[in-house]
Amino acid sequence: MRLTPETEKRVLFIFFIMIIVLWGYMKFFNHVLWKDEWQAWFVAKDKSIADIFSFLYYEGHPALWYLYLKVFTYIPELTGTAPEYVIMAAHLTLAAVFLYVFLFRMKLEWYLKVMASLSYFMFFEYGVISRGYAMVILFVFLITSEFQKQIPENRKTGLYLFLLCQTEVYGVFMAVTLVVYRLLADGYKIKNPIPKYVLWMIVGSVIFVVSVFPRSADHVASTQPNAPAYFYRFLNSFQGNLTNTFAIGSTPDTGAFGWSGLGLSIGVLVLVALYRLFRKDRTILISGVLYLMIMLLFGTFFFSGGVRQWGMTFVFFISLLSLAEYRSNTDKITKWISIAIFTFALVHNIKAVYFHFTIPFSNAKEAGLFIKESVPEKVPVVGINKFEITPVIGYAGRAFYELPDGVPFTYFRWVDKIYLPAEQELHLFTQFKKVGGIVIISPKRLDQERYPDAQLWKSFEQENYKKENYYLYSLPLK
């Protein structure tokens, strides 16, 4: 499967254009943004830069994605472009750059690059869905490509490490691990001066902790309601980071169904395969073990995560595989193990793309456009459970109201509790707004015994990928 360098470049360039076109088509003509995609946009749009930094510990994500989106939030007002298209264009730009770096600046066999690019994580989870994880991939790949230069530039490496720490907590894990890799690869001795790129990583990690880490233990606890014992959380983390990452689709999603004997067994086989993959290179093996240990400990004691978080392990695996290729520590068995791993991810991606074209990603767009066309601006829309309502706000193009405060909202805070107002409270709000009635939107049907005066107006409950359904109720003045 060897190609001449010129033929390989042509093949990869054509492939690159095809992926960008497919991403663009899926995003702009098919994808419906869900709550996590809209949430970051509203935080960036409705808050000042100073307020964004003070809000980060509610989000659990550092500032870089929000600051990047902040630049784009002025475009809808200046050009009249719908915000959803601006969000997707901003993300597509990042995805195109990380794909370019991967295809043309990192060492790896061309067919493995193609398979990796078409994997579920690289193509769908981080390419179609507009989240800040694309930034993690970009800076990890930039660092990896920098390490593959004959003389890496420490200043550039340091800057990339610093920025990587401002993407996600998983970016911090990767930054730490990549620094360890570089120190081992350079034969660093403790008596030697500390390289400047290490200091950049330390500063980036400190800024991450200061800006993101919860201010109280309650915030951590609220991310893990009814958390199982640490041992079971470790098993979930083990199965998620191995089985649901490297053999995705072979077992049900651990985040939804928990660990199983089959899932753990496959995870052990994956671990053996990864050891065989990198055993010839002690530096890469140590780096891989270190990253996996960090992920397992984080999943056990802090946040178990789900497929999109475990996919970060897949991204780091690609980085290590590229470094192994650069260091000429690959063989035929290595290639076949890589092909097997990428095949699982490729098949799962085909399923995801199929469902993306056959059913909506969310019902938020349909509900939002209905409100935009059918509910006059002077009629308040009250949201029940604003965690789930945010994407509808994006497509409706207007803020909804929350109770008990009775103020407009666009975004939510993860630590907030869901408030269910009494019907009398809704009537009082209607009187306060001096209108003949209000519209209520809820992600679930309202209890008719609790809300006897609320009349179901419209439901949006067709099958959708994210299982985001919505119900509109009218409540007349009483």
Side-chain angles (χ1 to χ4, degrees):
M1 302 181 76
R2 291 282 184 181
L3 299 177
T4 65
E6 288 187 1
T7 302
E8 180 175 322
K9 285 184 180 180
R10 285 197 295 269
V11 169
L12 291 179
F13 180 76
I14 294 172
F15 176 74
F16 173 75
I17 297 300
M18 289 174 57
I19 293 297
I20 300 303
V21 170
L22 186 53
W23 269 340
Y25 179 78
M26 292 184 67
K27 282 174 170 289
F28 298 122
F29 297 99
N30 188 260
H31 186 60
V32 176
L33 301 177
W34 71 303
K35 64 173 179 284
D36 285 9
E37 295 171 275
W38 278 109
Q39 167 75 356
W41 173 262
F42 284 129
V43 171
K45 181 177 74 72
D46 296 339
K47 287 185 172 293
S48 66
I49 291 178
D51 288 339
I52 288 174
F53 278 96
S54 66
F55 190 78
L56 293 178
Y57 70 94
Y58 290 117
E59 286 289 279
H61 307 286
L64 196 57
W65 175 236
Y66 304 95
L67 297 179
Y68 175 73
L69 285 179
K70 186 72 175 177
V71 177
F72 291 86
T73 57
Y74 303 102
I75 294 178
E77 186 175 349
L78 293 174
T79 66
T81 307
E84 60 265 30
Y85 296 125
V86 178
I87 297 170
M88 291 186 283
H91 181 268
L92 179 58
T93 302
L94 288 176
V97 176
F98 81 59
L99 182 63
Y100 177 86
V101 174
F102 176 55
L103 293 178
F104 300 106
R105 293 181 55 180
M106 289 172 59
K107 300 286 186 181
L108 203 60
E109 294 285 357
W110 69 270
Y111 56 89
L112 293 179
K113 286 183 176 181
V114 169
M115 293 186 73
S117 301
L118 291 173
S119 67
Y120 169 78
F121 296 109
M122 287 276 284
F123 182 86
F124 190 84
E125 189 67 53
Y126 306 133
V128 174
I129 302 174
S130 301
R131 296 292 307 279
Y133 295 99
M135 285 188 161
V136 182
I137 304 176
L138 173 59
F139 291 115
V140 166
F141 285 178
L142 284 171
I143 294 168
T144 302
S145 66
E146 193 65 31
F147 284 175
Q148 293 173 358
K149 292 180 179 178
Q150 189 171 3
I151 304 178
E153 297 181 38
N154 285 345
R155 287 185 181 180
K156 194 178 290 186
T157 299
L159 177 62
Y160 292 156
L161 287 166
F162 175 84
L163 292 173
L164 179 57
C165 291
Q166 310 315 312
T167 57
E168 290 284 340
V169 63
Y170 309 102
V172 177
F173 299 161
M174 293 183 196
V176 171
T177 309
L178 287 170
V179 164
V180 171
Y181 164 83
R182 176 72 185 277
L183 293 175
L184 291 173
D186 290 348
Y188 176 77
K189 305 295 183 183
I190 296 179
K191 62 181 180 180
N192 296 339
I194 299 176
K196 289 185 178 180
Y197 63 83
V198 177
L199 299 178
W200 277 93
M201 182 273 295
I202 293 173
V203 171
S205 300
V206 170
I207 291 177
F208 167 84
V209 172
V210 171
S211 63
V212 173
F213 198 79
R215 303 299 194 262
S216 71
D218 292 340
H219 293 173
V220 176
S222 66
T223 65
Q224 290 290 347
N226 302 317
Y230 287 132
F231 176 70
Y232 294 104
R233 289 168 64 178
F234 172 81
L235 295 181
N236 284 342
S237 184
F238 180 88
Q239 181 171 302
N241 279 285
L242 292 170
T243 307
N244 289 143
T245 300
F246 297 100
I248 187 168
S250 61
T251 61
D253 180 12
T254 305
F257 300 98
W259 62 273
S260 66
L262 175 62
L264 294 177
S265 300
I266 294 175
V268 172
L269 293 177
V270 168
L271 199 59
V272 172
L274 292 176
Y275 171 75
R276 174 60 184 82
L277 199 64
F278 299 124
R279 69 176 184 176
K280 290 185 177 181
D281 193 315
R282 178 174 172 272
T283 297
I284 292 180
L285 182 62
I286 291 175
S287 303
V289 170
L290 175 62
Y291 180 80
L292 183 58
M293 287 178 59
I294 295 174
M295 286 293 288
L296 293 178
L297 290 173
F298 183 76
T300 301
F301 295 103
F302 291 96
F303 179 60
S304 297
V307 170
R308 79 180 58 88
Q309 288 82 25
W310 300 326
M312 292 283 93
T313 302
F314 188 87
V315 170
F316 195 67
F317 161 76
I318 293 174
S319 173
L320 292 181
L321 193 62
S322 177
L323 290 171
E325 180 83 9
Y326 167 72
R327 291 162 64 88
S328 300
N329 283 320
T330 58
D331 54 27
K332 288 185 178 180
I333 295 180
T334 298
K335 298 295 193 306
W336 282 110
I337 293 174
S338 302
I339 289 172
I341 290 172
F342 290 146
T343 298
F344 274 104
L346 176 59
V347 171
H348 198 71
N349 184 50
I350 293 172
K351 294 178 184 178
V353 172
Y354 170 78
F355 283 117
H356 197 270
F357 279 115
T358 53
I359 62 175
F361 199 67
S362 164
N363 284 324
K365 184 175 183 178
E366 185 183 1
L369 293 180
F370 179 85
I371 291 173
K372 191 173 187 177
E373 296 170 359
S374 306
V375 181
E377 286 288 342
K378 64 180 181 180
V379 177
V381 179
V382 176
I384 304 294
N385 187 348
K386 61 183 183 179
F387 297 91
E388 305 295 338
I389 301 303
T390 293
V392 183
I393 294 175
Y395 286 105
R398 60 189 286 188
F400 295 168
Y401 288 87
E402 63 173 320
L403 294 178
D405 297 329
V407 296
F409 76 93
T410 54
Y411 53 83
F412 55 84
R413 300 187 306 180
W414 285 107
V415 296
D416 286 346
K417 295 181 179 180
I418 298 173
Y419 181 78
L420 294 176
E423 187 171 83
Q424 181 61 30
E425 192 174 358
L426 292 168
H427 283 305
L428 290 174
F429 176 74
T430 306
Q431 296 172 14
F432 171 74
K433 298 299 289 185
K434 298 179 180 179
V435 293
I438 62 173
V439 171
I440 305 168
I441 181 169
S442 170
K444 294 182 179 180
R445 291 181 180 270
L446 296 180
D447 184 351
Q448 288 301 293
E449 293 186 2
R450 184 183 179 112
Y451 302 96
D453 294 335
Q455 300 298 313
L456 180 63
W457 179 19
K458 182 78 172 177
S459 60
F460 305 90
E461 52 185 351
Q462 68 172 310
E463 184 183 7
N464 64 95
Y465 194 88
K466 280 296 181 182
K467 296 180 174 57
E468 290 184 338
N469 300 324
Y470 302 98
Y471 303 88
L472 286 181
Y473 292 82
S474 61
L475 185 74
L477 177 64
K478 184 176 181 180

